[in-house]
């Protein structure tokens, strides 16, 4: 029954052929997969294992941590620190990079991760996940914070796990994006979704409309045009989705297409974006591009953005290429002052999403 199926280990042997330090990179990805299995078991137990609810602590962002945030973070650190494969790690839950204990050898890679993306959804049994990114560390000395601050195009691997009806691991090593499903009977990840491809066109978008009053004009324009449907300039109806769990959003787009938007907002100038560049945006952008999609800030390719700080936030738009490129054109036209205000035939002057007139 199980013979002939491609396991994660077999897949990595094939995919990493010819890549520098392939054995160590493959071993590190297997370690990450082992941590994912442990986290999957904890999320599946939920209240039965005492893993739901909050703890009496906040992370570096001032957010009250969920119990699963803490245990997932510790699980990844403990699983990956001892094997001599990483030179250091950085977590969304930690203020500074994690230094490998002196009792362990340092390796060739830097592991960056969000241990439990969407953790606020765990209590209501909505899919959550783990996001990770791997950079090569070429220096002999222990890494400093500056060693982590590199654009996403320098990633050698990235991926995410989604803990839903089944546990899946989706990853790329720069040779396409591939999905694996955890077979709990044998404890292995099995290749089930090879060469995932995002359709270039879509009629489905995901955005949190509660922030509409803080959007920039090009983002207003795009969403309003989609809402106008077949009676508007797009000439077809669109569906809107919003799960508020990034891994669930990107997984849906990888499987059936779509576009995800968390655009720049004016509510807090110190936080122009919601998502973290290093822990969320860069790895997801790598995965999306390798699946034929596009990932942007609205003005720039996400993988070209160089971080200036460890926990930097950034606007994020990704998914079906033609829709992302349309939004980029809207931003370029707006910045050049050549765009025209869009008036919705559906909402007219009463639209909740119509941007304020520019002065």
């Amino acid at each position: 029954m199980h013979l002939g199926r491609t396991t994660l280990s077999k897949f990595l042997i094939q995919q990493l052929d010819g890549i520098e330090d392939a054995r160590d990179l493959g071993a590190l990805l297997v370690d990450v997969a082992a941590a994912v299995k442990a986290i999957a078991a904890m999320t599946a137990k939920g209240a039965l294992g005492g893993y739901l609810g909050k703890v009496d602590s906040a992370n570096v962002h001032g957010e009250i941590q969920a119990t699963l945030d803490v245990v997932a973070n510790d699980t990844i650190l403990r699983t990956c620190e001892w094997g001599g494969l990483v030179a250091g790690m950085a977590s969304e839950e930690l203020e500074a990079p994690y230094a490998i204990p002196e009792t362990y050898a340092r390796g060739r890679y830097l592991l960056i991760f969000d241990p439990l993306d969407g953790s606020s959804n765990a209590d209501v049994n909505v899919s959550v996940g783990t996001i990770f990114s791997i950079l090569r560390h070429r220096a002999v000395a222990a890494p400093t914070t500056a060693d982590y601050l590199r654009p996403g195009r320098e990633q050698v691997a990235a991926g995410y796990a989604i803990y839903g009806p089944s546990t899946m691991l989706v990853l790329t090593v720069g040779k396409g994006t591939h999905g694996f499903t955890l077979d709990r009977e044998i404890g292995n990840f099995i290749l089930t979704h090879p060469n995932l491809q995002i359709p270039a066109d879509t009629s489905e978008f995901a955005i949190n409309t509660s922030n509409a009053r803080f959007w920039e004009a090009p983002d207003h324009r795009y969403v309003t045009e989609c809402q106008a449907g077949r009676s508007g300039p797009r000439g077809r109806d669109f569906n809107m989705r919003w799960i508020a769990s990034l891994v669930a959003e990107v997984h849906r787009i990888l499987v059936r297409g779509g576009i995800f938007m968390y655009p720049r907002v004016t509510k807090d100038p110190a936080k122009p974006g919601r998502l973290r560049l290093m822990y969320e945006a860069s790895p997801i952008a790598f995965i999306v591009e390798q699946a034929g999609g596009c990932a942007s800030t609205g003005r720039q390719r996400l993988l070209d953005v160089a971080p200036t700080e460890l926990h930097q936030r950034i606007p994020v738009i990704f998914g079906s290429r033609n829709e992302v490129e349309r939004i980029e054109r809207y931003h370029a036209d707006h910045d050049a002052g050549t765009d025209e205000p869009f008036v919705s035939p559906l909402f007219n002057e009463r639209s909740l999403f119509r941007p304020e007139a520019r002065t």
Side-chain angles (χ1 to χ4, degrees), residues 13 32 108 178 259:
I13 291 171
V32 171
R108 298 179 173 92
H178 310 274
I259 183 171

Side-chain angles (χ1 to χ4, degrees), residues 24 80-89 99-109 140 142-143:
D24 283 357
C80 298
E81 68 180 353
W82 62 273
L85 301 171
V86 293
M89 292 182 274
I100 302 302
E102 293 183 359
T103 53
Y104 300 137
R106 285 200 305 270
R108 298 179 173 92
Y109 295 99
V140 176

Side-chain angles (χ1 to χ4, degrees), residues 87-162:
M89 292 182 274
S91 167
E92 187 184 70
E93 298 298 322
L94 302 176
E95 182 174 2
Y98 178 81
I100 302 302
E102 293 183 359
T103 53
Y104 300 137
R106 285 200 305 270
R108 298 179 173 92
Y109 295 99
L110 303 175
L111 177 62
I112 302 167
F113 59 90
D114 179 352
L116 202 73
D117 175 76
S119 57
S120 61
N121 286 321
D123 289 355
V124 293
N125 211 20
V126 172
S127 295
V128 294
T130 297
I131 306 172
F132 65 90
S133 167
I134 298 175
L135 297 167
R136 185 171 280 112
H137 181 58
R138 298 190 182 277
V140 176
T144 64
T145 297
D147 292 307
Y148 292 86
L149 302 180
R150 289 149 61 184
R153 63 175 180 270
E154 295 187 21
Q155 295 171 104
V156 295
Y160 68 84
I162 181 168

Side-chain angles (χ1 to χ4, degrees), residues 291-305:
C294 189
S296 173
T297 66
R299 293 178 169 87
Q300 181 182 9
R301 180 190 181 213
L302 268 173
L303 291 181
D304 288 337
V305 179

Side-chain angles (χ1 to χ4, degrees), residues 323-346:
E323 295 301 306
V324 176
E325 290 179 348
R326 174 182 288 270
I327 296 172
E328 288 181 323
R329 290 197 302 273
Y330 288 1
H331 276 278
D333 290 347
H334 178 74
D335 292 346
T338 58
D339 59 330
E340 296 181 2
F342 171 68
V343 178
S344 169
L346 178 61

Side-chain angles (χ1 to χ4, degrees), residues 12 20 71 114 211 242 300 304 351:
L12 290 173
E20 181 183 351
V71 295
D114 179 352
N211 289 324
W242 185 251
Q300 181 182 9
D304 288 337
S351 173

